[in-house]
């Protein structure tokens, strides 16, 4: 999981490089956020807790980091403070923040996923209060996807994305799929080891889904040409990522740090990108040199994130959901 999450976060960084081609962006966007939804579902604790414990955990792990990283954008308003004063600046910032959050347009763009994950966790908590066996959850998964497919097939208006609830409704099948995979993980791994041809089949399904579905984005509730292909592509891309990391069996403490600091990377990589590669495109766009530059630069950005994560873990742990790494 550490290697999988790190690869996923690297793809997020690479996907936000300015002026990437639609092909590269399309490949990354076809599964990178579905991947994190599935991984979040997979990592959900199987132990059941009460509503109070769930709320405390949710606030600690996601709500507080969400407000911290969006609140830090107030630091960019220093000139406004000098002009309008502290109280007026803070009031305007809070007003804009809550209005933009309501409309699904957050100050720190990538934090949309934190908000979406909050909704998905709430939905899952309520769902497990009703049914928690594998078969029932699988039936709910099928019904959920079928309902969304009918909604989009019948040309209803795009799902409203207030507070990114729309992204959550579209992303929840991925979250639930990750949880179902956890329940049957040993059996799934054993099957793939016995039937290695399934890896090739998953890859073929991914290519078909990607080629025929076009661009999809959970953030904007854009499902591409066919919503079923969006789910097929996201599921297959996630499985391929997880299977590939089984080749990396030796633990690595820096990969572990990056894995633990997923929220920090999510919320800070945009600033680093805009101060480096996005600000200084030193090669001709879309040339081979540009792509090599982008790939290597994003690796360096991931390395730069390590001391930031360690700092937050030691001195600012609430930004990481109260988690301390070492």
């Amino acid at each position: 999981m550490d290697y999988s999450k790190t690869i996923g976060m690297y793809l997020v960084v690479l996907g936000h490089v300015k002026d990437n081609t639609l092909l590269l962006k399309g490949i990354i966007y076809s599964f990178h956020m579905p991947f994190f939804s599935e991984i979040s579902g997979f990592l959900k604790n199987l132990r059941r807790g009460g509503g109070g414990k769930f709320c405390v955990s949710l606030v600690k792990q996601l709500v507080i980091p969400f407000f911290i990283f969006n609140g830090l954008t107030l630091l960019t308003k220093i000139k406004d403070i000098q002009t309008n004063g502290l109280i007026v600046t803070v009031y305007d910032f809070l007003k804009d923040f809550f209005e933009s959050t309501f409309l699904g347009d957050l100050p720190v763009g990538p934090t949309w996923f934190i908000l979406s994950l909050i909704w998905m966790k709430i939905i899952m908590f309520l769902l497990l209060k009703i049914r928690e066996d594998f078969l029932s959850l699988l039936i709910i998964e099928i019904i959920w996807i079928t309902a969304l497919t009918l909604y989009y097939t019948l040309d209803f208006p795009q799902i409203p994305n207030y507070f990114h609830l729309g992204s959550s409704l579209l992303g929840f099948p991925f979250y639930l799929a990750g949880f179902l995979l956890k329940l049957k993980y040993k059996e799934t791994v054993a099957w793939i080891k016995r039937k290695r041809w399934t890896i090739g089949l998953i890859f073929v399904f991914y290519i078909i889904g990607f080629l025929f579905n076009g661009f999809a984005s959970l953030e904007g509730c854009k499902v591409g040409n066919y919503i079923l292909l969006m789910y097929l592509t996201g599921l297959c891309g996630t499985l391929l990522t997880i299977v590939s990391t089984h080749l990396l069996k030796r633990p690595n403490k820096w990969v572990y740090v990056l894995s633990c600091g997923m929220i920090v990377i999510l919320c800070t990589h945009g600033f680093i990108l805009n101060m480096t590669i996005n600000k200084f495109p030193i090669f001709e766009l879309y040339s081979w040199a540009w792509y090599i530059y982008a790939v290597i630069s994003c690796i360096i950005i991931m390395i730069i994130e390590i001391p930031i994560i360690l700092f937050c873990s030691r001195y600012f742990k609430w930004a990481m959901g109260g988690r301390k790494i070492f």
Side-chain angles (χ1 to χ4, degrees):
M1 285 300 105
D2 290 335
Y3 280 108
S4 295
K5 287 165 66 179
T6 300
I7 291 172
M9 281 311 312
Y10 173 76
L11 291 176
V12 170
V13 177
L14 186 60
H16 287 155
V17 170
K18 185 179 180 181
D19 294 322
N20 263 333
T21 63
L22 289 178
L23 175 61
L24 181 58
K25 249 186 177 7
I27 292 173
I28 294 173
Y29 274 66
S30 67
F31 76 94
H32 76 316
M33 296 322 293
F35 166 81
F36 281 112
S37 298
E38 287 184 60
I39 288 296
S40 299
F42 185 89
L43 295 176
K44 176 174 172 51
N45 199 324
L46 291 176
R47 290 177 295 178
R48 308 289 182 257
K53 185 177 180 180
F54 169 76
C55 290
V56 170
S57 175
L58 192 67
V59 169
K60 180 180 178 180
Q61 294 178 6
L62 294 174
V63 176
I64 292 177
F66 173 79
F67 281 105
I68 285 177
F69 282 109
N70 281 291
L72 285 175
T73 57
L74 184 60
L75 296 176
T76 64
K77 310 289 184 181
I78 293 177
K79 289 185 178 180
D80 294 338
I81 294 174
Q82 295 173 343
T83 305
N84 303 322
L86 178 61
I87 295 177
V88 173
T89 302
V90 171
Y91 171 79
D92 289 341
F93 170 79
L94 291 175
K95 181 175 177 289
D96 292 340
F97 169 66
F98 285 107
E99 285 181 353
S100 62
T101 302
F102 173 74
L103 296 172
D105 185 20
L106 296 158
V108 181
T111 57
W112 74 265
F113 182 70
I114 299 178
L115 186 55
S116 184
L117 188 56
I118 291 171
W119 286 117
M120 286 190 280
K121 283 181 173 289
I122 292 173
I123 295 170
M124 192 67 184
F125 174 80
L126 297 174
L127 193 60
L128 291 176
K129 290 295 182 182
I130 303 171
R131 303 295 298 183
E132 59 181 35
D133 60 285
F134 179 85
L135 182 58
S136 296
L137 293 175
L138 179 60
I139 293 173
I140 291 171
E141 172 95 348
I142 294 172
I143 293 173
W144 196 292
I145 293 176
T146 302
L148 287 170
T149 301
L150 289 173
Y151 185 90
Y152 274 88
T153 303
L154 295 174
D155 290 329
F156 284 107
Q158 181 174 293
I159 295 177
N161 208 21
Y162 302 121
F163 294 108
H164 273 287
L165 182 57
S167 303
S168 309
L169 295 175
L170 282 172
F172 183 72
F174 293 115
Y175 185 94
L176 183 53
F179 185 76
L180 291 172
L181 176 61
K182 182 168 189 168
L183 296 179
K184 296 291 183 179
Y185 186 68
K186 290 183 179 180
E187 295 89 335
T188 303
V189 171
W191 169 266
I192 292 176
K193 285 183 177 180
R194 288 198 311 269
K195 312 286 186 179
R196 292 188 179 274
W197 53 267
T198 55
I199 300 176
L201 188 62
I202 292 170
F203 180 74
V204 170
F205 283 152
Y206 170 76
I207 295 298
I208 292 173
F210 170 72
L211 290 177
F212 286 93
N213 192 49
F215 186 82
S217 171
L218 285 181
E219 178 184 3
C221 296
K222 298 175 182 177
V223 301
N225 297 323
Y226 307 99
I227 186 171
L228 283 177
L229 288 183
M230 180 194 75
Y231 286 118
L232 176 68
T233 309
L235 289 168
C236 290
T238 298
L239 287 173
L240 289 172
T241 304
I242 294 175
V243 168
S244 66
T245 56
H246 273 266
L247 302 172
L248 306 168
K249 296 181 179 179
R250 180 177 294 180
N252 183 293
K253 70 174 184 177
W254 302 121
V255 171
Y256 172 71
V257 170
L258 291 169
S259 172
C260 293
M262 190 177 74
I263 288 180
V264 176
I265 301 173
L266 189 71
C267 299
T268 61
H269 76 274
F271 173 77
I272 300 174
L273 271 176
N274 292 333
M275 294 298 292
T276 54
I277 182 173
N278 285 349
K279 191 173 183 179
F280 304 105
I282 61 177
F283 295 102
E284 181 182 352
L285 294 179
Y286 313 132
S287 65
W288 281 107
W290 162 253
Y291 284 114
I292 294 172
Y293 171 61
V295 168
I296 295 176
S297 296
C298 289
I299 292 174
I300 294 173
I301 288 173
M302 292 292 285
I303 295 173
I304 292 172
E305 290 283 3
I306 291 176
I308 298 175
I309 294 168
L310 292 175
F311 175 84
C312 289
S313 173
R314 187 167 184 179
Y315 301 107
F316 202 37
K317 67 179 183 178
W318 287 109
M320 296 180 58
R323 184 174 187 177
K324 195 168 185 178
I325 297 177
F326 298 124

